[in-house]
Amino acid sequence: MSNDLVLVIVVGTALAFDFTNGFHDTANVVATSISTGAAAPRVAIAFAALLNFAGAFISLAVAATIAKDVVNAEAIDSLNIIFAGLIGAIAWNLITWYFGLPSSSSHALIGGVVGSTVVAVGTGAVEVDGLVGKVLIPAVVAPILAFLVAGIAIGFAYRIVGRLRPGPVTRGFRFGQLISGGMLALAHGTNDAQKTMGVITLALIANGNLASDAGTPFWVVISAASAIALGTYVGGWRIIRTTGTRIIKMDTAQGFSAQG
């Protein structure tokens, strides 16, 4: 099998992962808005899909991290390494989607790429500083920081609206959820779509189509943005039910604070 054909298969698999990333992580963006009644399910998902697509064009910094700061692109001498990492990430996405588990597609992808690289060429190809500083530490800090900020935000919200009539308060926070949910969808596209861009860029470098210091081609950006937006529109209803109703029953103020 020619290298170019293998490259096409790897790129196709990467976009398939991006699609599963979209429907798997849709719950992160829309579940709170749906559970509080701030938006109808289909409207919320279509809105999130559109902003996921737009967010992918805001920055390419995350794509550069995946392509160059997690594993050494020059040490990857076979597209099979990247293909294996993608298959591992897709398998995790499908398994956790089936059981309704809101896990991280991003960390599954990074784990798959790092795991296949270690098995194929050894631990020396892993960029330890980048992996720890840009992946592992943020993975621990993110939920703790969000917990604290959301807790402070809901405290302020209840203090401000505690003596107001429930009707106007609910309507106000529902409108606020449309804004905070939209910003969350935009940030999701900016972050998650770039994981796939980075992996495809890594594959192009490994195949000799790009230099190791090259940027992300525009066709990669548009393809990844389209795949995650389409996956978002399809929607992962199992995970939406888990995140929206089986963890906590939120009011609109809590939904706004959580999204924010």
Side-chain angles (χ1 to χ4, degrees):
M1 187 179 295
S2 70
N3 285 345
D4 288 342
L5 180 57
V6 175
L7 177 63
V8 170
I9 293 172
V10 170
V11 170
T13 305
L15 294 176
F17 165 80
D18 207 22
F19 178 84
T20 66
N21 190 167
F23 78 67
H24 188 281
D25 287 4
T26 299
N28 301 334
V29 178
V30 303
T32 50
S33 296
I34 293 172
S35 68
T36 62
R42 284 297 173 192
V43 173
I45 289 174
F47 186 50
L50 179 63
L51 290 175
N52 261 336
F53 180 84
F57 294 89
I58 291 177
S59 167
L60 295 177
V62 176
T65 293
I66 300 299
K68 300 168 185 177
D69 294 341
V70 174
V71 294
N72 186 345
E74 295 180 350
I76 296 179
D77 56 2
S78 172
L79 290 172
N80 293 333
I81 298 173
I82 301 171
F83 179 75
L86 288 167
I87 292 299
I90 291 173
W92 177 256
N93 272 357
L94 294 177
I95 291 169
T96 52
W97 165 80
Y98 180 81
F99 289 104
L101 303 177
S103 69
S104 170
S105 299
S106 301
H107 292 94
L109 176 62
I110 294 168
V113 171
V114 171
S116 60
T117 300
V118 168
V119 171
V121 297
T123 57
V126 178
E127 301 287 357
V128 177
D129 290 344
L131 182 63
V132 173
K134 294 189 176 183
V135 179
L136 298 181
I137 291 177
V140 175
V141 171
I144 298 172
L145 181 61
F147 177 92
L148 294 174
V149 172
I152 293 170
I154 194 62
F156 275 113
Y158 281 159
R159 183 175 294 274
I160 293 169
V161 304
R163 296 184 180 181
L164 301 179
R165 289 184 297 149
V169 169
T170 298
R171 288 193 295 272
F173 275 117
R174 281 179 176 171
F175 178 74
Q177 275 195 271
L178 297 179
I179 297 174
S180 62
M183 294 300 293
L184 180 59
L186 196 68
H188 181 262
T190 302
N191 193 289
D192 277 34
Q194 290 189 54
K195 307 294 194 309
T196 302
M197 297 179 202
V199 168
I200 294 176
T201 301
L202 190 61
L204 292 170
I205 293 172
N207 197 52
N209 299 88
L210 289 177
S212 60
D213 58 349
T216 304
F218 182 74
W219 70 265
V220 175
V221 177
I222 193 73
S223 299
S226 300
I228 198 169
L230 182 60
T232 299
Y233 186 73
V234 170
W237 290 102
R238 291 174 183 265
I239 300 173
I240 288 173
R241 284 194 293 270
T242 297
T243 309
T245 62
R246 295 178 184 172
I247 297 176
I248 183 174
K249 181 60 178 177
M250 291 177 285
D251 60 31
T252 54
Q254 292 169 339
F256 173 77
S257 299
Q259 289 174 327

